[in-house]
Structure formats: structure tokens, C-alpha cells
Amino acid sequence: MCSEIVVWTYDLWKIYKTPYGMISALRGVSFSVRRGEIVGIHGPSGSGKTTLLKILAGLERPDRGEVIVDGYDLNQLDENGLAMLRNTIVGLIPQDYGLIEELTVYENIELPLLLARVPKEERHSRVIELIEYIGLKGREKARPKQLSGGEKQRVAIARALSNTPSVLLADEPTANLDQENAIKVLELFKQVNRDFGTTIIIVSHDPKVLDYVDRSFVIRNGVLREVSPQEALGSS
Ligand SMILES: Nc1ncnc2c1ncn2[C@@H]1O[C@H](COP(=O)(O)OP(=O)(O)OP(=O)(O)O)[C@@H](O)[C@H]1O
Ligand SMILES: [Mg+2]
């Protein structure tokens, strides 16, 4: 495995100001992920998992600290730079899938390619290739509400992969799935990692995820640390 660092953070803080006071969602998070690794981040509800992924994806800015993703210093990027990062470097699979209900499976997967101004023919072949890859051939015209949870999750994965990102960020990808579909989704991550060398960060409560990751971290009250597989199992 190549030991190049692809995600690096140092002393990341995120503080939300609410009418009821300040919430410190991240409190000095420092960690790194090597290219080609799959890592798991486990932690209870409200511990800061989604906040961390949003910062890595350039959707939120930290209040303090450094973030470097595939060589880009996120603090140095303006809004256009962050949009470029989201379109080409990072693929985020949100906790609720984030699919657009009015669009078909095909159109949902095509959307990031449209935004990146990929020419039509190239877009078409890429979308068809991805639909086959996730095993949904024949469902191109279906809308999200006609799909099962596992199928929606796979469409969200295909959409996140459309611009061949270096880093895939998956927020609770098995939370709403039964055992069989959860395993299918985790196998798909393993396959993506093998086929494209994509670095994958999976945030989860689910102990099954531990069988699919190279390293695990636990986050509690906004504080992250690396743990052994046994310790991660205890905290899932
Ligand atoms: N936009 C926001 N405004 C105010 N507080 C927020 C906001 N987003 C998150 N928080 C707070 O920050 C803390 C961390 O939230 P976050 O969504 O990162 O947790 P999480 O670990 O993903 O939880 P879950 O497992 O339930 O998805 C929580 O206390 C949450 O209420
Ligand atoms: Mg969350």
C-alpha cells in the first residue's frame, strides 16, 4: 500500500452558535488517512461524526485548525475552490442519501457530471457503466421513491463515484438497511476500494463495518482517537 497521506487534519474545532448557547461539535480533531485505506469512525449520536465529514467534504468550514484533502488546504480555498473539491476530489454519501426525488436514477447519477461540464457522450457512458457497477441495470428510469433502502444507498454511492473522487465519505451507510443489504453495501465499498484505489472513510454505529476497515477511530463529544478493533467493537 502507498503510504501517501490523502486526508490530514490538525486541531480541528467546530463550534455551532445556537439560541441556547454554544455547541462544540469538534474539539481539536487531529488525524490522517493514507491513500487507499478504508477507515471507520465510530461514535454515539451527536458526537460530531457528520460535522467532521462535512468539513472534509468542504460543506462546512472549521472555526479553527487545518484540513488538507488530496493536497488541497481547505482553509485556502474560496467558495469556488470548495465547489471544485466537492465535484472532483471528494464524494460524500450523506446520511439520508441526498437523492433528488424528482430525478430518475440515471439523472441523479448524471448530475455531478453535468455540474463538472463533462460532455454528453462521456456522461452517458459513465452513468451506464456506474449503473451496471452497482447492479441496477434496468432501473435507470426509476425514481428514488420506487427504490428500496439498499438500492437508494447504491445510487448514492454511484453518484458520489461519478467524478472518480480520491476520497469517498460515507455517513452511516448501513443505518437504515437490513443485514443482507448492509453487507451488500459494505462489499461494494470494498470492491470500489480494490477497483479504483479510492480512500474511504465510513462513519457508523454498525459493528459490521469493523470487518471492512483497515483502521478504526472513535469520536466522543467531539474528541477523536484511534482505537484497536476490539475497542472499536465495544464503542459501536
Ligand atoms: N447546524 C447545526 N447547528 C447547531 N448545532 C449543530 C448543527 N449541526 C450539528 N450540531 C450539533 O453538533 C453536535 C454534533 O452533531 P453531528 O451531526 O456531527 O453528530 P453525529 O455524530 O453525526 O450524530 P448522529 O449519529 O446522530 O448522526 C450535536 O450536538 C448537534 O446537535
Ligand atoms: Mg450524523
Side-chain angles (χ1 to χ4, degrees):
M1 185 192 290
C2 173
S3 63
E4 182 196 353
I5 300 291
V6 69
V7 172
W8 182 85
T9 77
Y10 178 71
D11 197 26
L12 270 189
W13 286 74
K14 181 71 189 176
I15 297 159
Y16 291 110
K17 290 163 198 75
T18 75
Y20 315 102
M22 313 267 241
I23 296 176
S24 301
L26 298 180
R27 300 191 296 141
V29 169
S30 303
F31 83 122
S32 61
V33 181
R34 288 184 284 275
R35 196 177 294 282
E37 271 190 308
I38 306 183
V39 308
I41 299 180
H42 311 271
S45 186
S47 57
K49 304 183 297 296
T50 297
T51 304
L52 178 59
L53 288 194
K54 283 183 174 168
I55 290 177
L56 297 179
L59 285 168
E60 297 258 15
R61 289 191 184 270
D63 291 291
R64 199 170 102 188
E66 312 285 329
V67 203
I68 296 182
V69 178
D70 207 9
Y72 291 93
D73 179 343
L74 271 54
N75 288 335
Q76 300 302 321
L77 296 179
D78 61 12
E79 288 310 310
N80 288 334
L82 291 180
M84 175 283 299
L85 182 97
R86 290 195 293 271
N87 258 327
T88 59
I89 308 291
V90 173
L92 175 67
I93 306 160
Q95 205 159 357
D96 60 358
Y97 316 121
L99 299 176
I100 298 177
E101 292 297 330
E102 291 72 27
L103 299 184
T104 62
V105 164
Y106 184 101
E107 291 162 344
N108 265 287
I109 299 172
E110 187 188 29
L111 193 58
L113 296 164
L114 271 170
L115 293 173
R117 302 210 171 101
V118 173
K120 189 167 180 192
E121 269 159 34
E122 198 181 324
R123 272 194 334 255
H124 182 69
S125 54
R126 182 87 185 117
V127 175
I128 293 298
E129 185 187 10
L130 281 164
I131 289 176
E132 277 187 26
Y133 191 76
I134 59 168
L136 284 183
K137 196 164 175 226
R139 306 299 305 278
E140 292 80 356
K141 294 198 172 119
R143 300 204 189 256
K145 67 169 179 295
Q146 298 167 315
L147 301 176
S148 71
E151 289 166 344
K152 279 189 224 178
Q153 184 61 251
R154 282 184 276 149
V155 174
I157 294 172
R159 186 193 46 190
L161 285 175
S162 61
N163 282 320
T164 55
S166 317
V167 183
L168 202 54
L169 306 173
D171 198 347
E172 304 270 8
T174 62
N176 304 313
L177 306 181
D178 59 28
Q179 175 92 356
E180 191 187 330
N181 278 296
I183 287 170
K184 270 193 198 166
V185 160
L186 292 169
E187 292 288 347
L188 180 57
F189 283 130
K190 208 67 186 174
Q191 193 185 334
V192 166
N193 173 259
R194 269 198 306 264
D195 292 347
F196 311 114
T198 316
T199 307
I200 305 179
I201 300 179
I202 305 175
V203 149
S204 185
H205 291 104
D206 184 351
K208 281 191 291 302
V209 170
L210 294 170
D211 296 335
Y212 292 82
V213 300
D214 300 311
R215 286 190 301 138
S216 294
F217 295 85
V218 163
I219 185 166
R220 273 211 184 82
N221 294 321
V223 178
L224 182 100
R225 65 188 176 89
E226 188 168 352
V227 292
S228 67
Q230 289 80 358
E231 207 180 334
L233 190 59
S235 65
S236 285

